Amino acid sequence: MNLLLTGEQRELRAAVRSFLTTVNPRDGYAPSGYERLNGELGLGGLIVPEEYGGSGAGHRDLAVVLEETGAALLPGPFLATVFAAIVLGELGAKEQLAAIAAGTPATVGPLWGGGVTESGGALTGEALFVNGAEAELVLVRTPQGVFACRGTASPVETLDITRSQARIRFDGEPALALGELPARASDLIAVALAAEQLGVLRAALAAIVEYAKVRVAFGRQIGSYQGVKHKLADLHCALEQAESIVRYAAWTADEDPEELPKAAALAQAYVGRACFQAAKESLLLHGGIGFTWEHDAHLYYKRAKSDEVLLGPPRIHRAKLADLLEL
Amino acid sequence: MDLAEYRSAARAWLAENLPASDPKTFMAALHDAGYSGITWPAEWGGQGLTQAEERAFAAVARDFSLPTYVFSIGLGMCGPTLLDRGTPAQKERYVRRLLRGEEIWCQLFSEPGAGSDVAGLQAKAERVEGGWLVNGQKVWTSVAQHADLGLLLTRTNVDVPKHKGLTMFVVDMHAPGVTVRPLRDMTGRSNFNEIFFDDVHIPDENRIGDVDDGWSVAVTTLLHERLSISSGVGMSGQRDDPSSFEALSASVDTGDPVVRDQLVELYVRSRALALFNQRLAQETKAGIFPGARGSAAKLLLAELTSFGADLGVSLAGPEAVADGHPLGAALALAPALSLGGGTNEIMRNIIGDRVLNLPPEPRVDKNVPFKDLKVNS
Ligand SMILES: Cc1cc2nc3c(=O)[nH]c(=O)nc-3n(C[C@H](O)[C@H](O)[C@H](O)COP(=O)(O)OP(=O)(O)OC[C@H]3O[C@@H](n4cnc5c(N)ncnc54)[C@H](O)[C@@H]3O)c2cc1C
């Protein structure tokens, strides 16, 4: 098992990081930015096999990229498209994979719960979809399997303003059957999300560490007070463990299918909560400015919580671990 | 040999050689088999391998009970300090014997008046004909009642700030004037001691590093201490740890969903730390020295140990605190890890100052000559 980044992965990280420096998380989905992201960096089809026009990269590479898009709070359907690519990859849906490699924004949903059913080749019902309004390819999970189908999307207000969601209604639209969703897809999605959460954690911590070096109270920098310093030290410990878990989980995604389910549940159980904890402490230690709309602290805070519940109430990951550990 | 083969060979050797007749015989056999001083230079009796093998061995050893507790201070702290800062003659004299368990070491830093702030210590060494004369007291010294040698930090200059007037020595624990008194610790056993030095003579050839430069030697020791504690180097195995996830999930009734969730929490924390330690080992192998990040691993281990013992006793209920129950004993032992090797607060200070580079606290003790400083009496 290798928990370190390779030289190539460090280069990938540097390239993505430098590309994302211009991103403003409040700008919303910018298709032109995504064109460059998919074109220059080839990120859209990162995990799509080469035969369908993708880069054929593994989940370890994907984790490196998601950590950066998470840290930058990249708005738009990047994560949703990754989730869709994971599902399509597991289903072996060639045509749709090729579309993703070509830059088609996509989503899959609902990620938790139901709401949509299939009958006679048509879908009815409604559910929440991450970036449902931006996605051109919509994959729908139903008790009858996964379908590709365009319904009527109505954007909803989201706590996390950097990631939009839409409620999509299906009123008997014809749907393309893609097959039963393999359990592995859910695990890979959990790992991918944990990688984004690691990035959010890292960025939220880095922001407050920097601020603690410059903000002065009672004649000295706030980072020199143990009440502040010790919290940041604890968050650093959490970051070290979160990174170790994400590297491990991504490694199992590529190399150890037997271990993947446990690693994926572990990743969500640990990283999801650590990420919110870091975002919360980061906000609080900023003081009043942290509570303002203009400051980014609340963006991390809201993204962290939205991510933590994205795949369902966090207890499901712990319950799954309990099952896998045969408790 | 790749790591997997290394691990299985180590496992086979341990299975064959344990339980051992006595600690010293076991150490000699361990050294002969190539598992003592794994990362230490071959020149001085080590095996010349990497931290990866060292940690791999420690991971395997966790499944066994190794009778190496009395050697842990020597292996984890004193030996690495000698390798970093000793003269060739000192390495020749001490290292191989340490690795073979022929001489037991202890670490004589803490005093009644100085623990976290160990640079504030007062045991003094004065220059005399042919060496030094030491007077003073040390305390909380683990395994000193068994020790042949000690790494002793003393004050040699009170006219300069506290960090600048310390000197490090190797002291013969059997020398005239050394009195070792075992102290009963909260487990009811005597693992640590208080030591009195009355006109103890130490030859100058036993000095490690320059006169008044003992602090930089001590920092080396403390860095090794944190890394060795967190990676379990030289520690006895944890097979018998009753508060591990494996032990608890086998011993408590998991019918209650609350219990299951608490065990999941223990599993999550244990795995998180194990993976972090594994990543540190891989980094070290790749040439990235963890340095102060070892303090994070040490802090996390202290907290995990305390969490596991607390949880174990709570899950087991009243039986756990009666009749010498192992979980009660684990709870009594748990604070050792949060105190020895630097307290949790000190670890957080180190992470804040050296890893995150946060501004230091204002200090009143940095530039004042030691003799003018407020110290514990
Ligand atoms: C089991 C065990 C084994 C040991 N073995 C050895 C040994 O072999 N050799 C040896 O030399 N020593 C040994 N020690 C001593 C150990 O290193 C000290 O006990 C420890 O460093 C704390 O020092 P102290 O006891 O003087 O407590 P103090 O330094 O008085 O600390 C009291 C409290 O104040 C806090 N505190 C102190 N300074 C700060 C600060 N700057 N910021 C925030 N909080 C602070 C501490 O965290 C602690 O909670 C051992 C201790 C134990 C418990």
Side-chain angles (χ1 to χ4, degrees):
Chain A
M1 184 204 317
N2 183 6
L3 302 173
L4 307 186
L5 296 185
T6 63
E8 275 175 32
Q9 284 163 345
R10 283 199 299 273
E11 280 168 30
L12 175 65
R13 178 172 69 182
V16 176
R17 191 175 285 181
S18 95
F19 180 86
L20 293 174
T21 48
T22 56
V23 164
N24 180 345
R26 295 163 195 257
D27 284 351
Y29 174 39
S32 61
Y34 268 68
E35 258 167 48
R36 289 185 52 215
L37 198 80
N38 294 334
E40 273 167 48
L41 291 173
L43 297 188
L46 189 69
I47 55 164
V48 174
E50 286 177 36
E51 49 184 319
Y52 311 130
S55 311
H59 292 273
R60 279 169 288 188
D61 297 332
L62 178 64
V64 168
V65 171
L66 286 172
E67 190 181 332
E68 294 308 314
T69 56
L73 297 179
L74 174 69
F78 188 76
L79 184 76
T81 305
V82 164
F83 284 1
I86 286 172
V87 168
L88 294 167
E90 293 308 306
L91 291 169
K94 302 172 189 170
E95 218 173 285
Q96 289 75 13
L97 282 167
I100 288 197
T104 306
T107 189
V108 55
L111 294 169
W112 165 250
V116 187
T117 51
E118 182 264 354
S119 150
L123 298 189
T124 46
E126 71 171 20
L128 270 182
F129 287 77
V130 178
N131 298 102
E134 292 91 359
E136 288 166 28
L137 172 61
V138 176
L139 306 179
V140 189
R141 291 173 58 206
T142 75
Q144 293 76 34
V146 180
F147 296 84
C149 185
R150 294 292 294 272
T152 311
S154 324
V156 296
E157 198 184 311
T158 47
L159 178 71
D160 172 11
I161 60 165
T162 66
R163 178 167 283 151
S164 72
Q165 299 200 41
R167 213 172 278 288
I168 304 186
R169 255 206 86 68
F170 301 92
D171 289 306
E173 279 90 348
L176 176 67
L178 294 171
E180 284 293 327
L181 186 70
R184 184 175 150 81
S186 305
D187 292 332
L188 294 174
I189 284 174
V191 175
L193 178 62
E196 163 167 309
Q197 289 166 317
L198 173 62
V200 174
L201 193 176
R202 190 189 296 284
L205 176 58
I208 186 57
V209 166
E210 284 321 301
Y211 190 65
K213 292 176 186 172
V214 295
R215 175 72 179 172
V216 170
F218 302 96
R220 54 180 166 119
Q221 295 117 304
I222 57 168
S224 69
Y225 291 100
Q226 291 191 351
V228 175
K229 182 176 289 181
H230 287 190
K231 277 190 181 150
L232 299 182
D234 284 336
L235 294 178
H236 171 78
C237 289
L239 173 65
E240 292 274 27
Q241 297 196 133
E243 174 169 353
S244 309
I245 289 175
V246 167
R247 301 273 174 263
Y248 161 68
W251 178 84
T252 64
D254 284 336
E255 306 286 346
D256 193 345
E258 296 269 293
E259 276 294 301
L260 171 65
K262 217 192 274 179
L266 171 70
Q268 275 309 307
Y270 185 84
V271 186
R273 191 173 46 180
C275 176
F276 180 65
Q277 189 67 20
K280 184 186 83 176
E281 294 294 356
S282 182
L283 186 147
L284 293 177
L285 292 172
H286 274 91
I289 192 99
F291 196 66
T292 62
W293 186 258
E294 288 72 24
H295 199 280
D296 284 350
H298 74 100
L299 302 184
Y300 288 97
Y301 177 86
K302 292 169 180 172
R303 169 70 73 91
K305 198 40 137 182
S306 304
D307 272 359
E308 196 185 352
V309 298
L310 190 60
L311 307 180
R315 64 179 151 77
I316 62 171
H317 310 295
R318 299 169 69 87
K320 184 171 163 195
L321 262 184
D323 285 346
L324 291 168
L325 293 165
E326 295 170 7
L327 288 174
Chain B
M1 182 161 28
D2 70 16
L3 274 185
E5 290 171 46
Y6 185 85
R7 259 191 293 270
S8 61
R11 186 174 296 282
W13 190 88
L14 287 170
E16 194 166 317
N17 287 273
L18 286 170
S21 55
D22 73 290
K24 288 201 167 190
T25 316
F26 176 77
M27 266 319 273
L30 193 71
H31 185 256
D32 289 337
Y35 297 121
S36 176
I38 292 167
T39 59
W40 303 28
E43 191 182 0
W44 311 116
Q47 313 300 334
L49 299 172
T50 70
Q51 283 274 344
E53 283 89 4
E54 174 97 65
R55 286 187 184 238
F57 182 79
V60 171
R62 268 193 269 281
D63 296 339
F64 297 85
S65 287
L66 276 63
T68 51
Y69 174 71
V70 289
F71 309 110
S72 59
I73 306 288
L75 292 168
M77 295 147 226
C78 305
T81 306
L82 287 167
L83 289 178
D84 283 354
R85 303 297 299 270
T87 62
Q90 288 168 338
K91 292 181 202 178
E92 181 65 42
R93 161 67 186 81
Y94 298 118
V95 176
R96 183 180 295 272
R97 283 181 227 187
L98 185 159
L99 285 178
R100 295 187 60 76
E102 290 166 14
E103 286 170 337
I104 295 173
W105 285 71
C106 65
Q107 175 206 10
L108 299 148
F109 287 17
S110 302
E111 297 183 3
S116 301
D117 179 20
V118 74
L121 61 81
Q122 297 168 60
K124 64 172 194 259
E126 292 164 294
R127 254 192 207 283
V128 291
E129 184 72 35
W132 300 79
L133 206 60
V134 176
N135 282 285
Q137 186 190 345
K138 296 287 171 180
V139 76
W140 322 134
T141 317
S142 305
V143 307
Q145 72 271 44
H146 310 292
D148 304 295
L149 296 163
L151 194 60
L152 172 67
L153 190 60
T154 62
R155 181 156 309 281
T156 40
N157 191 340
V158 296
D159 298 318
V160 289
K162 64 180 184 183
H163 292 94
K164 298 187 173 143
L166 300 170
T167 304
M168 188 77 82
F169 295 98
V170 176
V171 64
D172 175 356
M173 295 297 286
H174 309 299
V178 178
T179 310
V180 178
R181 277 223 291 259
L183 295 170
R184 195 166 186 211
D185 68 32
M186 67 177 280
T187 67
R189 287 171 300 175
S190 296
N191 286 324
F192 59 26
N193 305 266
E194 58 182 346
I195 325 288
F196 299 89
F197 294 92
D198 296 303
D199 287 338
V200 176
H201 185 268
I202 299 182
D204 192 52
E205 68 194 37
N206 285 21
R207 177 166 44 78
I208 314 265
D210 291 337
V211 174
D212 290 351
D213 192 31
W215 181 245
S216 77
V217 184
V219 167
T220 310
T221 312
L222 296 174
L223 215 59
H224 285 297
E225 176 168 32
R226 275 139 215 170
L227 286 168
S228 72
I229 291 176
S230 64
S231 60
V233 170
M235 300 304 273
S236 56
Q238 286 166 12
R239 187 198 55 172
D240 307 320
D241 177 4
S243 60
S244 69
F245 168 77
E246 289 74 15
L248 280 184
S249 48
S251 68
V252 303
D253 175 10
T254 56
D256 181 337
V258 174
V259 172
R260 275 204 300 279
D261 196 59
Q262 287 173 326
L263 288 173
V264 165
E265 179 63 20
L266 180 61
Y267 172 82
V268 168
R269 288 200 192 196
S270 309
R271 282 300 281 152
L273 179 55
L275 288 165
F276 174 36
N277 273 322
Q278 223 167 329
R279 187 161 64 92
L280 282 179
Q282 292 181 2
E283 284 184 14
T284 311
K285 182 156 198 195
I288 311 163
F289 189 63
R293 285 167 67 218
S295 291
K298 195 277 180 183
L299 170 60
L300 287 163
L301 179 65
E303 297 209 309
L304 174 62
T305 304
S306 155
F307 175 79
D310 177 9
L311 177 64
V313 170
S314 297
L315 289 179
E319 283 294 329
V321 294
D323 207 12
H325 195 285
L327 283 167
L331 187 80
L333 184 60
L337 266 174
S338 294
L339 296 170
T343 66
N344 292 357
E345 287 75 27
I346 297 301
M347 291 307 108
R348 292 188 174 97
N349 284 345
I350 292 172
I351 295 163
D353 291 350
R354 316 250 176 84
V355 182
L356 301 177
N357 293 315
L358 291 168
E361 283 179 85
R363 300 272 298 251
V364 294
D365 59 343
K366 271 230 142 141
N367 302 312
V368 187
F370 182 73
K371 61 177 193 281
D372 301 330
L373 204 61
K374 180 172 178 175
V375 293
N376 291 306
S377 49

